[in-house]
Amino acid sequence: MDSKKFRKVNVNKKHKRRKKVTYNKKYIIYLIMITIGITVIMGLIGGLIFRVPEDTELIKPEIFDMNPYGYEFNKDLYGYCNATDENGNTRTYYFTLEQMAALYTSSGGTFNFTDGIYVAVNNSTSSYNMVTDIYKKNGAKIIKPHEYNEYEFAENSRFLGRNQTYCARGFGFSTDEYNDSEF
């Protein structure tokens, strides 16, 4: 017998092994620290940009009403809302025409602020709660857009507030106009 015939043949095969990717633990820690740092800095910047002032109070408006000619006791005030404050008390807050227009545009025309808004109140000059500034819950100030005409808003307010859940039935009417109108 030929011994070569039964001899075991070794074939030169290169064993391909997957190269393991190893990361240095130090780089992973640096990456995590940088991510956390960027997150904290962005949070601080956001907090500085939109921060609710300390002298404001959170209110949850229930219903808005507006007189397009201003109220007799103060012609600078055009609207009000009945709202519940942080202590659970229901109070009336008065707004200027520009503030009413800002509330209208900020709410998308619905006056829906059931989540609440922050208001700064100036009641040192009178016995009623006159709002000086309005802020959303995220701290952004509610202002009227520059191109929005608040006098057109006053003229059209009776139509804008009609059939709105958060507007009084006489929204946009004076007392006499409301008494003389039919719905």
Side-chain angles (χ1 to χ4, degrees):
M1 273 195 156
D2 193 6
S3 64
K4 288 185 179 182
K5 211 178 202 187
F6 296 108
R7 187 183 276 174
K8 194 174 186 182
V9 179
N10 288 332
V11 179
N12 289 336
K13 289 184 180 177
K14 291 184 180 178
H15 295 287
K16 293 184 179 179
R17 291 186 182 180
R18 289 187 181 171
K19 191 174 187 179
K20 288 186 178 179
V21 179
T22 57
Y23 295 104
N24 194 340
K25 290 180 183 179
K26 184 172 31 172
Y27 292 122
I28 293 173
I29 291 173
Y30 285 147
L31 184 63
I32 291 171
M33 295 299 284
I34 289 171
T35 305
I36 291 171
I38 289 172
T39 304
V40 168
I41 290 172
M42 293 303 286
L44 289 175
I45 290 173
L48 293 175
I49 293 172
F50 296 126
R51 179 173 282 164
V52 177
E54 296 292 326
D55 62 340
T56 60
E57 58 184 275
L58 176 66
I59 64 169
K60 295 190 177 185
E62 297 163 6
I63 194 104
F64 285 89
D65 199 0
M66 181 182 163
N67 184 335
Y69 309 113
Y71 294 109
E72 292 297 324
F73 59 89
N74 187 338
K75 288 292 186 183
D76 293 332
L77 301 176
Y78 285 80
Y80 72 88
C81 76
N82 293 325
T84 306
D85 63 9
E86 295 171 312
N87 300 325
N89 301 322
T90 301
R91 297 170 46 187
T92 302
Y93 297 87
Y94 291 93
F95 301 97
T96 64
L97 179 58
E98 187 172 320
Q99 290 170 337
M100 288 298 289
L103 287 166
Y104 177 76
T105 57
S106 177
S107 67
T110 63
F111 287 99
N112 182 359
F113 293 101
T114 52
D115 290 339
I117 53 176
Y118 286 92
V119 294
V121 177
N122 178 10
N123 52 10
S124 62
T125 58
S126 61
S127 60
Y128 46 87
N129 299 315
M130 183 175 153
V131 174
T132 55
D133 292 311
I134 311 166
Y135 299 90
K136 293 181 182 178
K137 284 193 77 163
N138 67 0
K141 189 172 184 177
I142 296 177
I143 57 172
K144 176 189 70 73
H146 295 293
E147 70 277 356
Y148 195 79
N149 187 342
E150 65 264 20
Y151 298 107
E152 286 182 19
F153 169 75
E155 290 175 11
N156 297 321
S157 60
R158 66 187 67 191
F159 306 111
L160 301 174
R162 188 170 289 163
N163 298 326
Q164 296 289 347
T165 305
Y166 300 99
C167 293
R169 187 168 167 93
F171 186 91
F173 291 93
S174 68
T175 306
D176 294 335
E177 290 172 339
Y178 178 71
N179 291 335
D180 294 339
S181 63
E182 294 180 19
F183 293 100

